[in-house]
């Protein structure tokens, strides 16, 4: 049976490390266990929907959604962006294949310290360069 385990990393002076949330499985029929509240004793249980096996939860956290709000400067750019006819083009030479046509776009990172940075994508090999 799988159980939550403390995540690796972090030292004692840092924030308490987040527990890893994992799927749990029934020890009798191997089906997935689902969270359920024991309304009489006010505690969290994991219960099998097939055979009604019940296991007490070791932690009150059953789901964690960690958002990454940091976007890369070239987030969402694929190599076939060079074939997009709506993007502006320039005669900038690609450092990888020496082809002399590229599309360009502004950095996708929006912050006060980031100026207007242009990125180029080679129309031949798809290399991203500045």
């Amino acid at each position: 049976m799988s159980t939550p385990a403390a995540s690796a990393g972090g030292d004692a002076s840092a924030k308490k490390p987040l527990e890893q949330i994992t799927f749990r499985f029934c020890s009798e029929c191997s089906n997935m266990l689902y969270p359920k509240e024991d309304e009489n004793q006010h505690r969290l249980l994991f219960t099998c929907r097939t055979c009604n096996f019940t296991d007490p939860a070791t932690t009150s956290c059953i789901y964690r959604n960690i958002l990454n709000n940091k976007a890369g400067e070239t987030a969402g750019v694929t190599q076939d962006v060079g074939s997009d006819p709506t993007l502006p083009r320039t005669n900038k030479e690609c450092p990888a294949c020496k082809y002399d046509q590229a599309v360009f776009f502004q950095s996708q990172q929006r912050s006060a310290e980031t100026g207007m940075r242009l990125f180029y994508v080679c129309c031949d090999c798809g290399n991203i360069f500045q």
Side-chain angles (χ1 to χ4, degrees), residues 7-112:
S7 64
D11 54 47
S13 63
K15 296 190 312 186
K16 181 180 176 185
L18 297 175
E19 287 185 60
Q20 181 179 352
I21 307 302
T22 57
F23 290 110
R24 297 174 61 140
F25 297 95
C26 179
S27 61
E28 295 180 10
C29 67
S30 299
N31 285 315
M32 196 163 95
L33 296 178
Y34 293 90
K36 182 179 179 182
E37 178 190 7
D38 181 357
E39 295 177 0
N40 296 332
Q41 297 181 358
H42 299 292
R43 64 182 184 152
L44 182 64
L45 303 171
F46 283 95
T47 304
C48 178
R49 292 181 179 170
T50 306
C51 69
N52 292 326
F53 171 80
T54 302
D55 192 25
T58 57
T59 180
S60 61
C61 184
I62 58 169
Y63 178 78
R64 180 176 292 115
N65 187 14
I66 300 173
L67 299 175
N68 183 2
N69 61 358
K70 195 170 197 176
E73 293 179 326
T74 60
V77 177
T78 59
Q79 289 184 341
D80 61 344
V81 76
S83 62
D84 186 348
T86 63
L87 289 175
R89 298 181 182 276
T90 185
N91 292 336
K92 187 127 176 138
E93 185 178 285
C94 174
C97 71
K98 306 299 183 203
Y99 191 71
D100 67 345
Q101 191 175 20
V103 296
F104 62 94
F105 58 93
Q106 192 174 353
S107 170
Q108 300 299 309
Q109 195 171 26
R110 304 284 187 233
S111 63

Side-chain angles (χ1 to χ4, degrees), residues 108-119:
Q108 300 299 309
Q109 195 171 26
R110 304 284 187 233
S111 63
E113 61 271 355
T114 304
M116 185 176 127
R117 294 176 63 181
L118 291 179
F119 289 92

